[in-house]
Amino acid sequence: MGLNRSMGCTIPCFLIFLAASLLHVHVHSDADSLDEGFISIDCGLPGGSSYLDEKTGFNYTSDDGYINTGENHNISVEYNALELLRSSLNLRSFPNGGRNCYTLSPATTGFKYLVRATFLHGNYDGKERDLVRLPLVFDLYMGLHFWDRISVSSTTTMYVAEAIFVAEVSSISVCLIDIGSGTAFVSSLEMRQMKSSLYPVALQNQSIALQERRSLGASSLVRYPDDPYDRLWWPSNGTSRWLNLSTTSEIKHYLTDEVEVPIRVLQTAVTSPTTSIPLNLSWTVPSAWLAMAPPGYYLNLYYTDFQNQHKREFDIYYNGFLWEANNRPVSPAYLFADYTTATAIVTDASGFYNVCIIATNTSVLPPILSAYEIYYLIQHDDTATDTQDVEAMMNIKSEYQVEKNWMGDPCLPEKYTWIGLTCRSDGVTSRVKTLDMSNSDLQGAISEQFSFLKSLQYLNLSFNNLNGPVPDSLTNLLSLRVLDLSGNHLDGPIPEALCMARSLTLRYDTINGDPCNGKSPHKENTLLITVVAVPVVIMALLACTLTVFCFCRKQDLPGPKSQENCKGHIHTSDSREFTYAELVAITNNFSACIGEGGYGPVFHGQLKDGTQVAVKMHSPTSATGKGMEEFLAEVGSLTTVHHRYLVVLVGYCTDKDHLALIYEYMPNGSLYDNIRGRNAIVQTLGWRDRARIALEAAQGLDYLHTGCVLPIIHRDLKAHNILLGHDMVAKISDFGLSKSYINVAQSHISVTAAGTLGYIDPEYCVSGRLTTSSDVFSFGVVLLEIVTGEPPILPTPVHIVQRVKEKVIMGDIEAIVDRRLHCQYDFSSIWKVVDMALLCTREVSSERPTMSMVVAQLKDALALEESRVSSSTISQVGSNVDLSISWVASGR
Ligand SMILES: *[C@@H]1O[C@H](CO)[C@@H](O)[C@H](O)[C@H]1NC(C)=O
Ligand SMILES: *[C@@H]1O[C@H](CO)[C@@H](O)[C@H](O)[C@H]1NC(C)=O
Ligand SMILES: *[C@@H]1O[C@H](CO)[C@@H](O)[C@H](O)[C@H]1NC(C)=O
Ligand SMILES: *[C@@H]1O[C@H](CO)[C@@H](O)[C@H](O)[C@H]1NC(C)=O
Ligand SMILES: *[C@@H]1O[C@H](CO)[C@@H](O)[C@H](O)[C@H]1NC(C)=O
Ligand SMILES: *[C@@H]1O[C@H](CO)[C@@H](O)[C@H](O)[C@H]1NC(C)=O
Ligand SMILES: *[C@@H]1O[C@H](CO)[C@@H](O)[C@H](O)[C@H]1NC(C)=O
Ligand SMILES: *[C@@H]1O[C@H](CO)[C@@H](O)[C@H](O)[C@H]1NC(C)=O
């Protein structure tokens, strides 16, 4: 607890105050001089209208300039007969729920304001519901900070919420939050600028919200102009044991007065009948605050003495503790405004507070009290959005008159982040990270305000009516990775620094010549970035992925009939035939089963020379009749296909009914294991490893497609089939096998045979025509898995392609990224991979890139990430960065 007395003075000091106070100017003047810094809003008043309120003297305006959501309503006509404030006759309600915010501006950063909201239901919706039985409840926030919980249980009561706080930016947002207990509404909003020296407990990081303010002994409400700050001083509702006192004498303020209680309030007071009876004041914490562990109370007691003959002295007890400044009881000054302020944290779990004011044993007169205020403290959350970002977003919003539902803090609370932007929090503040204002009908020049969003990584301003030059200030955005300016009418060159920025993907129109004058090294990237229309693809995908059996006619399957043609490319092969007895020996009688392949179990084995192998058994049932011949044909072709990023076939076994393939052993499991499976539990692959693995797998697949005269189609590419060897080098496995096991007589094939749920090319599914681009589709799905760490269709039935596209369209690229990467990645690198994945997974196969194009893009992506890693963590030594980037070209 802390205690402040306004007057810790001895007599000489008092005289100085007395003299000084004569010079004290009281600002009790007409309305005009104080309207500055005052905003009076009648919520629900028809747009554009205003009126001068006779009761208050204020000019109330419609709220349409301060909010663009909600509905206007008049209260029910039968309530018009009541003596109501005019601002209570109509209101704005928010039936659409969520968070709805008023932006009160202009405010001045660092200035202190009193903000008041009033709520009078007046049966505006004509539903006459039983509010006593089921109150209407919603929350009121000041920006991000909980301010009050409004619980409306009467249609005729005016509820008031009031707070004092310091503006953090040049506007103040007052938000109504739907908590699921009825439609929020508001009747009026008032903002009054205060002297900054008042209520010193209200700071930039702490506000105070009013619980109760009373003028004791008064018979009517005191407010503006008696109170220059328009505080509402309600008369006491009367405690019969207290006696009313009043004076007409002028009462003065000390110059150091930090509350400036109106003279009219101080001219009335209450006293107890005798010195033995205390003035006793108690209150309880509102239940909403108890639940939220209120930070504490701020209590102000105001008194003055009306008589100058007898000693009046009293002690103040707060929750049983004696409160005294300078170890002296209070002796109110004659006709001078005196007060005691105190802060206290909640000491009692019941939330019960008591103040007891009792005369000392030497006092002749009983205690006296003119007024009191009880505030609760609102500690500010320090993770609010960076004020520079808030300011910039507010300015952008007003500059372009944004129609979007942008209200309150742009980033917080997370649930209500502004549509079109995403944020990143560093634990202290949130900063705007991506901003998508494409197709937003923006007119005029590109605002300089964008350059204040210092953490911006992605800015999409495409397809607006922006004109004029691209401001140089955009080059201040050092984190920017994507800037899309296409579809506007911009003139002049683009700042060279933007054109040349290595890690920036820039997109612009070249209709009137190249604004980068050919200086953009990544122009081709811009051509590749395209987001396709979603719905048709998705329908096809769902149709395919959610059907267990895909009724596809398989025909015209180009097969790997070109072994001879491959021989020129390959390293020498020692693939050989093993007998069943040899298999038994190699696998130690099939003792170590390491997995389940599509056609049977997989065993670990060791050759005589110590080479570790994986022995894939093929159950005889799947290889009967013609299947057996195909198996042999496939084996023949596989033994000749060799590539650094394809799993090496060591040999095969065609002994009797025991068919088997012997592959090199890949000790680090599959990509699946490392992203979602068993290995991922221990350690998640970082982005550099993921990008490298993607590139290696792409090279392997590219070789299958183009390394031989006739392409080899993998048909079952998935994360399970990309295996990781020593040093985590990726190799594709299970290629070219699946088609050996199709029963040609059947008119349909199961998805297990044709591919894996989630990875199947929708076009193949529909047409039955299999091409290399079916593999490209599957590879695109694998890329998305690598980025997101999520499975293609589970746990939701929405396919990964759709999930990612939705987020990309929302501009929320980083929301796609696997959280386990902990933001340790180069944004452009991720973006390139996502972009490529979305191209690979296009519905129309002819629009998909070839694997060679994929390889080229993935190389860029890996290079970007490697430059980030080398520039950020010098100490990180990579054991597996040995990459043959030039390899692809050598095979052609
Ligand atoms: C109230 O203020 C508005 C805006 O300042 C002004 O246009 C209007 O005339 C004023 N209305 C009255 C009744 O003074
Ligand atoms: C409210 O009443 C006023 C006149 O009293 C009328 O002009 C206005 O249109 C009404 N508003 C609504 C939303 O009904
Ligand atoms: C609030 O701000 C004041 C000064 O502006 C500072 O002294 C105080 O420590 C801050 N309190 C907290 C809780 O940050
Ligand atoms: C004091 O004034 C209040 C407000 O006018 C009134 O309700 C109350 O009855 C008065 N008390 C006495 C003892 O007269
Ligand atoms: C007086 O006000 C207190 C607190 O505002 C309230 O709890 C009490 O019911 C009121 N008493 C009467 C008689 O209105
Ligand atoms: C003051 O009020 C509280 C709560 O009503 C009560 O517990 C206490 O005894 C009272 N004190 C006096 C001195 O009347
Ligand atoms: C008055 O109270 C003080 C302390 O509260 C005590 O020391 C003193 O003896 C009391 N005087 C009388 C006359 O009761
Ligand atoms: C920018 O937005 C447009 C329209 O929403 C979209 O087509 C385009 O792909 C986006 N640009 C980038 C680079 O994301």
Side-chain angles (χ1 to χ4, degrees):
M1 292 191 194
L3 174 75
N4 293 307
R5 280 287 308 282
S6 68
M7 195 187 69
C9 271
T10 48
I11 298 302
C13 173
F14 176 78
L15 290 175
I16 295 169
F17 278 128
L18 186 65
S21 70
L22 299 175
L23 302 171
H24 191 99
V25 182
H26 293 284
V27 203
H28 287 207
S29 50
D30 50 309
D32 298 336
S33 66
L34 267 166
D35 261 10
E36 209 170 319
F38 280 26
I39 295 177
S40 306
I41 300 169
D42 184 347
C43 306
L45 197 67
S49 51
S50 69
Y51 59 86
L52 201 61
D53 184 50
E54 283 166 17
K55 286 195 180 109
T56 59
F58 289 114
N59 175 357
Y60 282 82
T61 57
S62 156
D63 59 352
D64 65 337
Y66 300 94
I67 195 163
N68 44 29
T69 54
E71 297 174 352
N72 288 354
H73 289 281
N74 288 333
I75 63 168
S76 184
V77 283
E78 69 256 32
Y79 294 92
N80 289 357
L82 298 172
E83 271 271 312
L84 294 174
L85 288 172
R86 184 162 169 195
S87 61
S88 296
L89 298 181
N90 40 250
L91 54 85
R92 187 179 288 253
S93 75
F94 301 95
N96 290 331
R99 177 174 77 151
N100 289 279
C101 301
Y102 280 85
T103 303
L104 306 184
S105 69
T108 308
T109 308
F111 279 32
K112 205 164 275 184
Y113 292 90
L114 177 149
V115 173
R116 182 165 48 231
T118 67
F119 311 87
L120 187 127
H121 188 282
N123 192 28
Y124 74 89
D125 53 2
K127 288 188 182 156
E128 284 289 9
R129 70 190 116 227
D130 185 357
L131 290 172
V132 177
R133 195 180 50 78
L134 191 65
L136 165 60
V137 186
F138 52 91
D139 283 350
L140 195 61
Y141 273 67
M142 175 148 338
L144 286 179
H145 316 299
F146 176 78
W147 168 6
D148 211 345
R149 174 159 287 179
I150 309 298
S151 179
V152 178
S153 54
S154 153
T155 52
T156 53
T157 302
M158 184 170 86
Y159 297 86
V160 181
E162 200 180 292
I164 294 172
F165 69 103
V166 175
E168 291 171 79
V169 293
S170 63
S171 63
I172 286 157
S173 68
V174 173
C175 304
L176 292 101
I177 311 262
D178 192 318
I179 59 165
S181 303
T183 300
F185 70 91
V186 58
S187 301
S188 77
L189 281 170
E190 291 159 320
M191 180 167 108
R192 314 291 185 222
Q193 190 181 314
M194 301 188 98
K195 229 194 251 174
S196 287
S197 56
L198 301 191
Y199 297 94
V201 71
L203 296 164
Q204 200 110 28
N205 53 13
Q206 175 174 283
S207 310
I208 52 176
L210 186 70
Q211 178 163 323
E212 194 174 338
R213 182 189 291 123
R214 294 275 173 194
S215 172
L216 300 170
S219 52
S220 60
L221 175 72
V222 177
R223 66 179 296 179
Y224 188 84
D226 291 306
D227 187 327
Y229 309 108
D230 196 28
R231 287 166 290 188
L232 304 184
W233 298 88
W234 299 94
S236 162
N237 61 2
T239 305
S240 54
R241 296 176 70 190
W242 293 358
L243 303 176
N244 295 332
L245 298 178
S246 68
T247 181
T248 50
S249 308
E250 186 70 0
I251 296 169
K252 307 208 168 48
H253 290 99
Y254 296 113
L255 269 186
T256 51
D257 195 315
E258 289 170 343
V259 275
E260 293 189 6
V261 175
I263 302 305
R264 248 192 81 191
V265 168
L266 294 169
Q267 282 173 328
T268 65
V270 290
T271 181
S272 64
T274 72
T275 51
S276 61
I277 298 177
L279 291 174
N280 203 352
L281 204 67
S282 51
W283 71 94
T284 50
V285 177
S287 53
W289 278 95
L290 258 189
M292 297 196 186
Y297 271 105
Y298 175 58
L299 172 74
N300 294 350
L301 301 174
Y302 306 116
Y303 38 78
T304 185
D305 210 339
F306 299 162
Q307 59 80 40
N308 204 12
Q309 281 117 46
H310 299 290
K311 181 174 183 180
R312 192 194 302 271
E313 192 182 66
F314 49 85
D315 288 318
I316 301 171
Y317 290 86
Y318 192 175
N319 282 3
F321 292 94
L322 178 64
W323 278 25
E324 277 185 357
N326 306 326
N327 288 319
R328 293 166 62 90
V330 175
S331 191
Y334 176 60
L335 297 183
F336 260 86
D338 203 352
Y339 58 92
T340 298
T341 68
T343 53
I345 55 162
V346 176
T347 51
D348 186 342
S350 69
F352 186 80
Y353 284 80
N354 173 251
V355 169
C356 190
I357 304 169
I358 185 158
T360 62
N361 54 11
T362 58
S363 181
V364 179
L365 296 172
I368 190 169
L369 189 63
S370 287
Y372 63 90
E373 286 181 291
I374 303 166
Y375 288 92
Y376 37 91
L377 297 167
I378 303 176
Q379 223 78 52
H380 289 195
D381 184 351
D382 53 3
T383 58
T385 302
D386 181 271
T387 51
Q388 193 183 34
D389 280 16
V390 175
E391 196 81 64
M393 287 308 305
M394 293 295 181
N395 291 340
I396 289 166
K397 181 184 168 194
S398 71
E399 215 167 304
Y400 293 117
Q401 297 177 1
V402 174
E403 292 295 320
K404 285 179 185 167
N405 199 358
W406 278 4
M407 296 183 290
D409 186 296
C411 294
L412 296 168
E414 221 163 285
K415 196 171 145 197
Y416 298 113
T417 300
W418 284 10
I419 291 167
L421 60 74
T422 64
C423 300
R424 166 183 277 167
S425 170
D426 59 10
V428 180
T429 55
S430 287
R431 311 251 8 197
V432 177
K433 191 180 62 183
T434 74
L435 179 56
D436 186 353
M437 296 186 75
S438 61
N439 289 308
S440 298
D441 200 23
L442 308 184
Q443 315 274 347
I446 294 181
S447 171
E448 298 278 346
Q449 294 292 334
F450 290 113
S451 68
F452 295 112
L453 299 168
K454 288 276 187 263
S455 297
L456 201 60
Q457 296 179 345
Y458 171 96
L459 178 59
N460 194 340
L461 298 174
S462 64
F463 303 103
N464 286 299
N465 291 315
L466 294 170
N467 51 37
V470 178
D472 280 336
S473 59
L474 287 187
T475 58
N476 297 339
L477 296 173
L478 299 178
S479 303
L480 199 63
R481 294 291 173 267
V482 178
L483 175 60
D484 193 341
L485 301 172
S486 54
N488 286 296
H489 313 290
L490 299 167
D491 306 317
I494 290 176
E496 193 173 326
L498 289 178
C499 290
M500 297 301 293
R502 189 172 174 279
S503 56
L504 176 69
T505 301
L506 183 63
R507 210 172 170 200
Y508 49 80
D509 300 325
T510 50
I511 305 163
N512 307 317
D514 180 358
C516 271
N517 295 322
K519 282 187 187 143
S520 171
H522 38 242
K523 203 174 149 196
E524 76 274 13
N525 299 341
T526 68
L527 297 176
L528 286 173
I529 295 172
T530 26
V531 175
V532 293
V534 186
V536 193
V537 189
I538 301 313
M539 293 320 296
L541 276 174
L542 286 180
C544 209
T545 53
L546 295 180
T547 313
V548 177
F549 289 99
C550 199
F551 293 84
C552 309
R553 291 190 51 225
K554 55 149 220 83
Q555 38 183 238
D556 309 328
L557 302 183
K561 299 159 191 134
S562 52
Q563 303 94 300
E564 293 83 7
N565 294 326
C566 274
K567 281 191 175 131
H569 299 288
I570 60 173
H571 315 289
T572 54
S573 161
D574 294 329
S575 293
R576 64 180 184 92
E577 189 162 0
F578 289 79
T579 65
Y580 185 66
E582 278 176 304
L583 287 193
V584 172
I586 289 169
T587 60
N588 193 13
N589 200 15
F590 305 104
S591 58
C593 181
I594 53 172
E596 189 69 30
Y599 309 97
V602 184
F603 295 94
H604 178 259
Q606 193 163 12
L607 301 183
K608 283 196 188 102
D609 65 1
T611 310
Q612 303 203 64
V613 293
V615 178
K616 275 196 166 177
M617 302 306 293
H618 290 256
S619 58
T621 48
S622 63
T624 49
K626 213 171 175 187
M628 178 67 168
E629 284 164 33
E630 286 194 2
F631 174 78
L632 293 175
E634 288 301 321
V635 167
S637 77
L638 286 171
T639 54
T640 61
V641 180
H642 285 260
H643 183 265
R644 173 177 187 163
Y645 300 126
L646 297 179
V647 171
V648 173
L649 185 72
V650 177
Y652 51 93
C653 170
T654 56
D655 196 344
K656 296 176 197 151
D657 287 340
H658 304 291
L659 303 180
L661 292 171
I662 297 101
Y663 288 103
E664 68 175 310
Y665 177 60
M666 301 291 282
N668 282 314
S670 68
L671 176 61
Y672 170 86
D673 293 333
N674 285 277
I675 288 187
R676 295 207 313 277
R678 52 194 164 96
N679 299 3
I681 298 165
V682 184
Q683 193 184 11
T684 315
L685 288 179
W687 178 245
R688 181 172 59 163
D689 278 329
R690 294 190 193 199
R692 177 186 51 75
I693 288 165
L695 173 59
E696 290 167 354
Q699 290 179 40
L701 190 58
D702 184 36
Y703 177 79
L704 283 180
H705 288 177
T706 59
C708 308
V709 169
L710 283 177
I712 298 171
I713 301 171
H714 188 293
R715 294 181 43 131
D716 193 15
L717 191 72
K718 54 182 169 179
H720 300 73
N721 286 341
I722 295 171
L723 303 183
L724 300 172
H726 291 292
D727 297 339
M728 301 295 281
V729 170
K731 300 188 181 202
I732 289 181
S733 76
D734 270 1
F735 42 88
L737 263 188
S738 53
K739 39 186 186 305
S740 307
Y741 292 87
I742 295 164
N743 181 339
V744 183
Q746 285 180 300
S747 63
H748 66 270
I749 51 170
S750 76
V751 283
T752 325
T756 302
L757 213 62
Y759 294 88
I760 315 162
D761 170 12
E763 190 182 88
Y764 164 56
C765 190
V766 172
S767 71
R769 286 173 52 84
L770 188 67
T771 63
T772 50
S773 65
S774 299
D775 281 349
V776 173
F777 182 92
S778 307
F779 189 75
V781 175
V782 170
L783 286 182
L784 293 180
E785 263 185 287
I786 289 175
V787 172
T788 62
E790 291 175 14
I793 47 173
L794 298 167
T796 63
V798 181
H799 193 271
I800 195 167
V801 175
Q802 185 185 10
R803 295 199 304 261
V804 168
K805 268 183 188 157
E806 279 169 2
K807 287 176 184 156
V808 168
I809 285 165
M810 292 289 287
D812 197 3
I813 297 162
E814 287 197 8
I816 298 164
V817 180
D818 191 340
R819 282 169 189 272
R820 292 169 301 173
L821 291 177
H822 302 300
C823 302
Q824 298 298 303
Y825 51 81
D826 180 88
F827 184 80
S828 309
S829 173
I830 293 263
W831 174 242
K832 275 183 194 296
V833 174
V834 170
D835 184 41
M836 192 35 86
L838 292 181
L839 285 178
C840 289
T841 50
R842 284 201 162 187
E843 182 197 13
V844 181
S845 62
S846 60
E847 290 174 359
R848 296 177 202 150
T850 64
M851 282 312 294
S852 311
M853 291 159 75
V854 176
V855 166
Q857 183 90 340
L858 291 179
K859 274 183 196 166
D860 286 353
L862 179 60
L864 282 170
E865 173 64 7
E866 299 213 309
S867 67
R868 180 193 72 85
V869 172
S870 61
S871 65
S872 62
T873 53
I874 298 148
S875 60
Q876 192 176 332
V877 181
S879 58
N880 47 16
V881 289
D882 168 34
L883 258 188
S884 63
I885 282 185
S886 60
W887 181 84
V888 186
S890 70
R892 320 275 156 81

